[in-house]
Each structure stands twice: as structure tokens, then as C-alpha cells.
Amino acid sequence: MKNTSKAFKANKTAMVLLILGLSTIIFPLYLTIVIAFKQPSEMTTSISGILSLPKTWSLNNFKEAMQVTDFWNSLRNSMVISVLTVVLSVLIHSLMGYTLGRNKKSKFYNFVYLFIVSGMFVPFAILMMPLAKQTAELGLANWFGVILLYVVFYMPMNVMLYSGYLVNIPLALEEAARVDGASTWRTYWKIIFPIMKPMHATVAVITALAVWNDVMTPLVIMAGSSQNTLPLAQLNFQSQFGTNYNLAFASYLLSLIPILIFYLICQKQILNGVVNGAVK
């Protein structure tokens, strides 16, 4: 009876925490959807006016938001930057994580690992002005320079994740491959890289979300250019005297769709077996 009572209390506590957690997501999402479909005349300062449903559900805000942000051009720039950053991050950071993770017993490799991971503690505000000047002098004040910076910025976190994940991969797999005559390079690409598929998906989601929603890096590096990303284009809704929340929230919903689809695809990969590659 005591065990049953404890289990019931634990389940009840978990349900309360789950409901509280869902409310922090559902309530802002509800506000975003409601305001995006409302007309400016329906917006009032009262709580009931903000929370109430639109009198007429119209797509006019979405159409106008797409025109103001030059949606398709901005979407293309965001997609190019995000996709190339994710691909380069998975390829480069996984290789670095493998190299450093398998050689942590070496003082040199351990120092390099700690040096790279320490980059997580350097705030972007310190690097902002020097990077803006250097990228301008090198002719990298464009989306290529932004991608290069993203690959460097997210290197510490991704290398740490890949190195930690290697603990779950037994060395026996690599030793068996070496006995069969496989080189280190071939062992990595044919055995280790496929096994790390769940971590690839995790790194891809974390990196893509950060890049997709980032404003500061494109704003500092590509300031004055016509290569706007979606977050940069959405700054058009803010003026000196206020913000057009109806158009802004409509634009936020539009920009949410691509990254949400990407997250759902990668989530399916994360839920796959960790050792699928080893079995194959």
C-alpha cells in the first residue's frame, strides 16, 4: 500500500509539472496565433481584447508580412546559411570530436580539447566589433562570412557533444576494422560516422535552431547589404514609435514552419537505435 501511495503521489506531481510545462508553451503559441490573425482595429489594451479570438479569420496579415519582409528572398538566404552551416558543422565538428575524444589521454590533445571547449565562455559582445572589422577587410561581409563564423562559434559545444558521445561507442569496433586492414580514415567514415547518427541529428537541431533565430551575427556582419535573413527582415516591423504586432506575429509563424519541419525530421532520427550502425 505504501509503495502504491508513493507511486500515485509521484505520478500526480509529474502530471502537475507536465501541465505547468505545457502551459509555458501553449499560452505564448496561442497568443501568437490569435494576434497574427487579428486586424489592428481589434487590438485593445485590455487583457480580454488581447486574449479574445479574432472576429474574422483573415490571411491579410500574412500576405502583407510576406511583402514587407521580402519573404521568399529572405527565406532563401536563411535556408542557405542554415543548411550549409549544419552540413559543415556535422562534417567538421564530428571529425574533430572523434580525433580529440579518442586521444584525450595525450596531454597535447587534451589541451586542444579544453582550449576549444573554453570558447563557450567567450561572449559574442566582446568579439562583435573586431569581427565586423576583420570580415569587412577580408571581403567576408556576406553570407559566406556568416557561415564561417557560425561554424567557429558552435564548434566548442558540438565538439564537446561528439567527444562525450564517443564514450558509448566501444573501441572493439575500431580494433576489428583495423584487423581487417581498414585505415583510420576509412574506419571513421564507414563505422564511427554512421553510428553517431543520433548525435548528428542532435547537433543539427541545436545548430539549426541557433542559426535560424540569430539576429546579431547577420546584423553585425551583413549590415547595409541586401542579403537579409528572416530575423533581419522582421526588424522592419519595429519602428521608433512602436511595433506592428499583427504583422510581426504573422511573420514569426511563417518563419516557424520550416524549422519546425526540420526538427520533426531530425527528432525521428534521434529516436532510432543508438547502435543501428553497428548492427548493420
Side-chain angles (χ1 to χ4, degrees), residues 85-98 158 161-163 165-166 169 188-208 262-263 265-271 273-274 277:
T85 300
V86 168
V87 171
L88 290 175
S89 295
V90 169
L91 294 176
I92 297 174
H93 298 164
S94 63
L95 185 58
M96 293 179 64
Y98 171 71
N158 293 343
L161 291 174
Y162 277 118
S163 298
Y165 190 78
L166 280 171
I169 303 177
Y188 171 73
W189 286 113
K190 295 295 184 181
I191 298 177
I192 304 301
F193 190 81
I195 293 177
M196 291 196 296
K197 193 175 182 181
M199 183 51 63
H200 296 328
T202 303
V203 167
V205 168
I206 294 174
T207 304
F262 178 73
Y263 173 78
I265 293 173
C266 288
Q267 185 186 42
K268 188 183 298 184
Q269 298 298 327
I270 294 173
L271 295 176
V274 175

Side-chain angles (χ1 to χ4, degrees), residues 129-140:
M129 295 310 297
L131 285 176
K133 184 176 181 180
Q134 290 177 8
T135 51
E137 291 178 350
L138 295 173
L140 295 175

